[in-house]
Structure formats: C-alpha cells, structure tokens
Amino acid sequence: MSSDLNSPFRTKTVEQSIRDTEEPEHALRKSLSAWDLTVFGVGVIIGTGIFVLTGIAARNNAGPATALSFVVSGVVCALAALCYAEFASTVPVAGSAYTFAYASIGELPAWIIGWDLVLEFALGTAVVAVGWSGYVRHLMHTNLGWDMPVALSGPDAGGHFDLLAFLLVLVLTAILVVGTKLSARITAVVVAIKVTVVLLVIVAGAFFIKADNYSPFIPPAQPQTGGSGWTAPLVQLMFGFQPTNFGVMGIFTAASLVFFAFIGFDVVATAAEETKNPQRDMPRGILGSLLICTLLYVAVTIVVTGMQYYADMSPTAPLAEAFKSVNQPFFSGAISLGAAVGLITVSMILLLGQTRVFFAMSRDGLLPRVFSVTHPKYRTPYRATMLLGGIIAIVAGFTSLEKLAELVNIGTLFAFVIVALGVVILRRTRPDLHRSFRTPWVPVIPILSIAASLWLMLNLPAETWARFGIWMVIGFVVYFLYGRSHSRLARMGKDAEY
C-alpha cells in the first residue's frame, strides 16, 4: 500500500471515492431502500443452487447431512458479509469489492478483483440465461406441446443458437438501462413467486417425509476419486487428512459445491451508490438476504432428503423429482415453473452487479471513461450496460452450458479474501473514519473469513484454478498496458510533478 501516486499500490481515499459520485455526468440516481436491497439479495441467491445443487451434493457428497453443508457455506458467507457490510456502509460507492480494495489495499489489487468480478458476473449471467432457456423449452414442450426449432434451441439441444437466452439478456439489459427502481419492482414480483415455490416445497413436502430416508444422516466416508486435481493431495499434505465424499469431511466437500447457491449476496454491495441511506440500509440488505436464504436452504434440504433417499435423488431437478417420487405431479410442475421464473431475477441482478463494477472502473480511468457517463434521464450507466448486455447475450446464444467454465465461486471467494483483508488494513490506516456499521471482533472475524474462504478454494478442481490464473494474467497485461497510465490517480501524480 502506498500514497505515492506513481505506485501501482496507490490508494484512493474514501473521501475522494465519495466525491467522484457527486459529479453530475457520472452520478447514479439514489432510489433503493433496505427492502429493495434485501429483495435483490434474495432474488439473486435463490436460483440454480437450491433447485439443482441440493440433489448433486446429497447424492454424491454428503447425503442428508447436506443440510449441514449449507450451514457451513452460510457461515463462510456470513463472515464475509460482516466485512462487506462495514465497507458498503462506510464507502457507499458502486463497485463492491473493487471499490473497497481501492480504498484500502491499492490500485493494482483493486484492478485485479474488479477484472475478476466482471468475468464472474458475466459468466454467471450467461450460465443462468442458458439454464432458464432450457427450463422454458421444457415447460413449453410438456405443458403446451410447443417446440422451439432445433437450430434456435442452443448447443445443448443440438442447435446452433439459443434464441431464448439471447432475448432474455437483451430484455434485462433494457430494463437496467431504464433504471434500478424498475428492476427492483420486477425483482420483487419474481422473488415473491420464487419464495412461494420454496415455501411450497417446505410445507407440502413435510407431509411426505419418511424417517428411514434420514438413516444414515451422515453416510460412511468414501475416498474421493478423480476430479480433484492437485487439491486433494495438497489438503492431505497441509492438514494431515484425506478429503472424502460422505462422512464428516464429506460435509465440507459438499459445502464447497453448494457454496454456488450463496453466490450473489455480495452483488447487493454493488448497488451502494444507488441506495437512499447506505449507512443504514446496506448492512440490513446484505445480512438480511443472507439470513433468509440460509434458513430456506436448510429447511428445503431437510425436507427433500426426507422425501426421497439421497442415493436416488435427481442431479438435475431434485426438488421436482422428489415430488414425483411421492406421486405429486402438480407440485412437481409448480416447482419447475418457479425455477424458470426465478432464474430471471438471478440473471438480471448478476448483470446489474457486473455493469456497476465496470462503471466504477471506468470512472476511475482504469477502463475507457466513455463507459462511466450516465444516462441524462435515467441516471444509469447505459453505455456500459448496453455494451456488456450485448456481449453476454451473444455468449449466452452461442455457448453450451457444458462449455461455460465454472469460475464463479473461486472468483467470489477471492473477493471475500480481499474484502476481509481490506477491513483490517483500513482499520489500521484510517481509525478516524466514521463507520455506521462495524465488523465485530476485528481482526478475528476477518481472519476467520479469509481462512474459511481459502479452505473452500482448496476444495475446488485444479482446472478451475488454471482458468482463474489465465484470466488473472490477462488482467495484469491489460492493467500495465492501459489502466496504470490512464488511471485518474496517475494523472493526478503527473499534475503534481509540474
């Protein structure tokens, strides 16, 4: 970290970050409340995770104890959420982890995390859009007898272009250009439908629970075979034990998988600049949405693993198939419909998060400043939104789900590490800074957050680490060829020399 304006570790003060939000040409409209933020959080968190990963984790990794895996992942996220809440209320500026790193650690680490988040949110948006398209095509076929032309059904269905995924991203892009308040209203409606479906699973499914399906609650441990790359031997070398499927360690193995189900709560922090009272509302939105979703996840997992023996669960549609197994096709159809509707908000909020990070990086000069100009009427970053929305729509249209690399969780965990580290550093460098929300037990909580995030990262496949490393190398090249010299702080350093 350095105050030298020519250093790649130069920091941007909190006061300077806030002043940048007051420039008329680059200002966002403040229209969101704590309720809007909570809805955004629930809207993006409840998605493919609860509708898909429950079955995979229970079938392959932890059995009925998958409920405990959700608790473990929820605790990891809660540790990070406490750090996010302090930063988001203290530095209420668009950009989330990127902005927080810029104010505490330095420009280069901020660029790297911003570069990472842009990819993560883009990839997540495309993945969810393609998944939504598959749900819609299935519902059209089973309920209406309609079929999309094969050529327009996407690579997963043997076609060439996924028209539905492409159109979904374009529509969501238009909504985000018009304004975040409109997107919040749409999200509220969709989230209401999605939460209703989840509650339906819990309430209706409770009548079909069989106690025998919980035995054994923690199945006997089995050695992991394949897919772990170098991470399993590394964990054994560092900690003295071999990662397993099932058994007590299987709970942690499953936790690294179901962590996908929590990805998104940090997106709430990207909307800090558009919040009416960020000092009060950001902590409520971040922590509230995480608590609600964790409780729902645990309840759903307990019910579903009680309805159907874990070894028989579907890896693709566990909730719907669980109801089919007890001869309840109505509930199965309702769940499929809820999943399709719910994925809309996941795509929209991931796209919103990506555009806000891109916008913040552009306003700082690390990306072309033309993308940080806001719409004269809607006060949204319309240029960045249209550019990124168009690119993601094309990616979603032409890419198979199998080929969309799952980099999302390693990038999110990396962001958690940076934010927790930033809390500790900023407490030491700026103890005078007013903090309306303070992370408790600093540095204990941030250190626990870093350790827990690194632990889950060690459980990820080697291929994910390799792809993440390649993207980071590209990011370093872009920064040193463009970002470092075009940064606003760099220009300030040059002005100071004359």
Side-chain angles (χ1 to χ4, degrees):
M1 188 172 61
S2 173
S3 58
D4 180 3
L5 293 181
N6 293 314
S7 167
F9 291 93
R10 54 203 170 203
T11 54
K12 183 180 180 183
T13 66
V14 173
E15 292 81 3
Q16 189 175 358
S17 298
I18 295 175
R19 281 199 302 271
D20 287 346
T21 69
E22 298 169 355
E23 297 177 356
E25 191 179 23
H26 304 285
L28 299 173
R29 175 173 293 166
K30 297 182 181 296
S31 59
L32 301 178
S33 64
W35 172 252
D36 293 326
L37 295 173
T38 303
V39 168
F40 271 146
V42 174
V44 71
I45 296 172
I46 297 181
T48 51
I50 198 169
F51 291 116
V52 177
L53 294 180
T54 303
I56 298 174
R59 182 186 177 104
N60 301 330
N61 304 117
T66 299
L68 300 180
S69 300
F70 276 109
V71 174
V72 171
S73 290
V75 169
V76 174
C77 290
L79 293 171
L82 291 170
C83 299
Y84 268 91
E86 175 170 324
F87 258 128
S89 59
T90 306
V91 193
V93 179
S96 186
Y98 159 76
T99 299
F100 307 155
Y102 212 159
S104 58
I105 304 176
E107 183 176 274
L108 179 57
W111 161 265
I112 291 300
I113 196 63
W115 180 254
D116 166 59
L117 289 176
V118 167
L119 174 70
E120 303 312 316
F121 292 152
L123 192 63
T125 304
V127 168
V128 175
V130 174
W132 173 85
S133 174
Y135 265 110
V136 171
R137 292 197 309 271
H138 175 72
L139 288 169
M140 289 169 56
H141 173 78
T142 56
N143 295 294
L144 301 174
W146 298 349
D147 290 301
M148 289 283 294
V150 174
L152 299 178
S153 297
D156 286 318
H160 303 291
F161 183 73
D162 194 328
L163 179 62
L164 291 178
F166 175 80
L167 292 177
L168 173 66
V169 176
L170 291 186
V171 170
L172 298 180
T173 299
I175 291 172
L176 291 177
V177 167
V178 172
T180 52
K181 191 63 180 179
L182 174 61
S183 63
R185 290 169 179 162
I186 295 173
T187 300
V189 174
V190 177
V191 167
I193 296 173
K194 186 159 50 174
V195 172
T196 299
V197 170
V198 172
L199 293 175
L200 179 68
V201 172
I202 297 170
V203 176
F207 291 97
F208 301 99
I209 290 176
K210 297 179 181 177
D212 292 344
N213 290 331
Y214 291 130
S215 181
F217 187 76
I218 302 179
Q222 299 176 6
Q224 288 186 359
T225 56
S228 299
W230 50 267
T231 54
L234 180 61
V235 170
Q236 186 175 20
L237 177 65
M238 293 175 62
F239 301 101
F241 50 80
Q242 174 71 38
T244 66
N245 289 324
F246 306 110
V248 174
M249 288 307 301
I251 296 172
F252 295 98
T253 303
S256 67
L257 172 66
V258 300
F259 179 80
F260 278 107
F262 289 93
I263 286 174
F265 85 85
D266 56 317
V267 177
V268 175
T270 67
E273 193 173 326
E274 295 159 274
T275 304
K276 296 176 183 177
N277 188 346
Q279 289 76 16
R280 180 196 65 190
D281 295 341
M282 289 306 302
R284 293 180 180 181
I286 293 173
L287 297 171
S289 59
L290 181 61
L291 176 62
I292 291 170
C293 293
T294 301
L295 293 175
L296 291 176
Y297 280 0
V298 172
V300 165
T301 305
I302 290 174
V303 168
V304 173
T305 54
M307 292 175 64
Q308 187 176 26
Y309 188 60
Y310 73 90
D312 299 327
M313 293 185 70
S314 167
T316 55
L319 275 61
E321 290 300 322
F323 277 96
K324 279 187 179 181
S325 71
V326 294
N327 299 315
Q328 297 294 322
F330 169 78
F331 292 113
S332 176
I335 291 168
S336 296
L337 178 62
V341 173
L343 292 179
I344 296 174
T345 59
V346 179
S347 288
M348 182 166 64
I349 300 169
L350 286 173
L351 181 58
L352 180 145
Q354 187 207 32
T355 57
R356 270 43 179 184
V357 174
F358 195 91
F359 166 80
M361 297 172 72
S362 172
R363 188 166 58 188
D364 290 331
L366 300 179
L367 291 171
R369 290 265 290 173
V370 66
F371 295 113
S372 64
V373 176
T374 55
H375 194 281
K377 178 180 179 181
Y378 303 123
R379 310 311 304 173
T380 57
Y382 69 107
R383 292 176 179 174
T385 302
M386 290 190 293
L387 170 70
L388 297 171
I391 293 173
I392 296 171
I394 294 172
V395 171
F398 285 103
T399 310
S400 167
L401 270 175
E402 295 179 0
K403 296 180 180 178
L404 285 170
E406 287 291 0
L407 287 167
V408 180
N409 68 346
I410 192 170
T412 303
L413 288 164
F414 180 58
F416 287 2
V417 171
I418 296 296
V419 170
L421 183 62
V423 167
V424 177
I425 292 175
L426 202 61
R427 284 285 188 97
R428 292 179 62 87
T429 58
R430 291 296 307 274
D432 60 305
L433 201 62
H434 173 69
R435 295 167 170 83
S436 56
F437 178 88
R438 297 176 67 89
T439 303
W441 302 333
V442 172
V444 176
I445 292 295
I447 290 174
L448 288 175
S449 177
I450 293 171
S453 298
L454 290 174
W455 169 255
L456 289 187
M457 290 173 75
L458 285 174
N459 284 277
L460 296 172
E463 294 80 5
T464 300
W465 281 86
R467 289 190 292 263
F468 180 69
I470 292 171
W471 182 251
M472 290 298 101
V473 169
I474 296 173
F476 273 102
V477 173
V478 173
Y479 172 76
F480 283 105
L481 291 181
Y482 180 89
R484 184 178 183 184
S485 59
H486 289 80
S487 162
R488 296 184 72 183
L489 289 185
R491 291 199 298 272
M492 290 172 60
K494 290 178 181 179
D495 292 343
E497 293 177 355
Y498 295 99

